[in-house]
Amino acid sequence: MRVFITGASGWIGSAVTDELLANGYQVLGLARSDSSAEALEAKGAEVLRGDLDDLEALRSGASSTDATIHLANKHDWANPAVSNKAEREAVETIGEALAGSNRKFLLASGVAGAVAGRALTENDASPFHGLESPRGGSENRALEYVEQGVGTVSVRFAPTVHGAGDQGFVKFIVDAARANGFSGYVGDGANHWPAVHRSDAARVVRLGLEKAAPGTLLHAIGEQAIPTRTIAEAIGRGLNLPVRSIDPGEATAKLGMIGGFFAMDIPASSALTQQLLGWTPTGPTLVDDLDAGSYFA
């Protein structure tokens, strides 16, 4: 099977590319730079030059392959409207290219803000619809294409997909701790974050490609609910810094754009995903990765 991947050289995408190639798939990876193209070619993947704004490249990649995995995102935190628009247009372009083909279309989604007071499950529909909502309502928009003969599967990733080399949210929190001279959690730190190791997340994507029916929601979640104070304490150990509470009103000032997100309580379960895919997380925990020191090198 030949699979088109957007974000194929990114943090999650490169692991998915490796996972697919190791299991006999051919990969066509979207690359916006020479360095990304060279990295993909070195692994044995094909390259399609373009980015999320190049809708013709997205259309070509989806139309010319047996399945599409959409993992790229602009992540423009200063101007989320830009990210939302690009995400929605990319999903619509791919969905229209695949309409009537019954080919698989896996896309990345998230777990934040969907439910309150309990762990999010795969049975919980996303409340986000329309361009102005998070990710431009891309999960629900993509699922609409199931009725048009597209095998849409949404893969909801934990807010931290961790591992050596991670430049994502946990790295932002580590950087803030260095700048502040202490490792902070918001309020009492009893709110929870889910997490997943990068290798486990890549396996969810491959198994979802192989086993998930159209319309399925999958959770790439290895740990359901880690208290954010536990995360801050592990960062404090790694940096040899004190650990202290940050007033919720100062979260953004002390932690930057990640502050409000780190204050959220967003536990999420993957029990149904594990049962459906026969998948068990085996990678290190988030605290294991922090204690191993790679985030502090």
Side-chain angles (χ1 to χ4, degrees):
M1 178 182 284
R2 188 164 174 258
V3 182
F4 175 49
I5 305 179
T6 73
S9 61
W11 173 242
I12 298 174
S14 59
V16 171
T17 296
D18 292 343
E19 176 73 15
L20 293 186
L21 290 173
N23 283 275
Y25 290 84
Q26 296 174 296
V27 171
L28 174 66
L30 187 70
R32 63 180 180 177
S33 68
D34 291 341
S35 59
S36 293
E38 290 166 2
L40 289 170
E41 289 172 342
K43 293 181 176 188
E46 299 175 69
V47 171
L48 176 65
R49 293 302 296 263
D51 57 28
L52 285 187
D53 294 320
D54 188 346
L55 300 184
E56 185 52 44
L58 297 180
R59 188 175 295 109
S60 172
S63 298
S64 64
T65 51
D66 302 305
T68 295
I69 301 174
H70 174 45
L71 301 173
N73 191 285
K74 286 194 171 185
H75 296 303
D76 188 343
W77 307 113
N79 192 354
V82 171
S83 296
N84 291 350
K85 181 175 183 292
E87 174 69 1
R88 192 172 183 87
E89 289 182 348
V91 163
E92 290 178 339
T93 297
I94 294 168
E96 289 162 9
L98 296 179
S101 71
N102 295 314
R103 282 177 278 171
K104 282 286 186 69
F105 173 26
L106 277 68
L107 77 154
S109 189
V111 300
V115 298
R118 62 171 174 83
L120 180 75
T121 79
E122 297 91 334
N123 287 329
D124 291 311
S126 169
F128 304 125
H129 297 265
L131 180 60
E132 303 305 318
S133 61
R135 290 180 175 264
S138 60
E139 177 176 289
N140 282 314
R141 185 69 182 100
L143 290 169
E144 290 174 3
Y145 285 98
V146 172
E147 295 183 356
Q148 299 180 41
V150 178
T152 303
V153 174
S154 179
V155 184
R156 295 169 170 171
F157 292 95
T160 170
V161 180
H162 56 88
D166 177 16
Q167 298 295 309
F169 286 172
V170 173
K171 173 67 161 49
F172 298 164
I173 300 167
V174 170
D175 289 346
R178 282 197 176 99
N180 291 327
F182 68 90
S183 180
Y185 54 88
V186 181
D188 62 6
N191 60 299
H192 303 89
W193 264 24
V196 65
H197 191 266
R198 183 172 173 240
S199 61
D200 288 324
R203 284 193 296 120
V204 169
V205 175
R206 175 181 59 85
L207 292 170
L209 178 64
E210 295 171 353
K211 298 182 178 184
T216 300
L217 305 179
L218 299 176
H219 282 191
I221 305 292
E223 297 178 90
Q224 174 173 309
I226 311 168
T228 56
R229 181 169 182 165
T230 299
I231 299 171
E233 288 170 344
I235 293 171
R237 288 194 300 273
L239 294 175
N240 194 27
L241 290 174
V243 180
R244 67 180 64 158
S245 171
I246 297 172
D247 184 274
E250 296 184 345
T252 301
K254 293 295 185 183
L255 298 176
M257 66 87 189
I258 196 67
F261 200 33
F262 200 43
M264 297 177 72
D265 187 45
I266 47 175
S269 169
S270 63
L272 297 178
T273 297
Q274 293 188 44
Q275 182 179 22
L276 174 66
L277 302 183
W279 169 73
T280 301
T282 59
T285 68
L286 175 57
V287 170
D288 285 342
D289 263 346
L290 286 165
D291 285 343
S294 63
Y295 281 90
F296 313 114

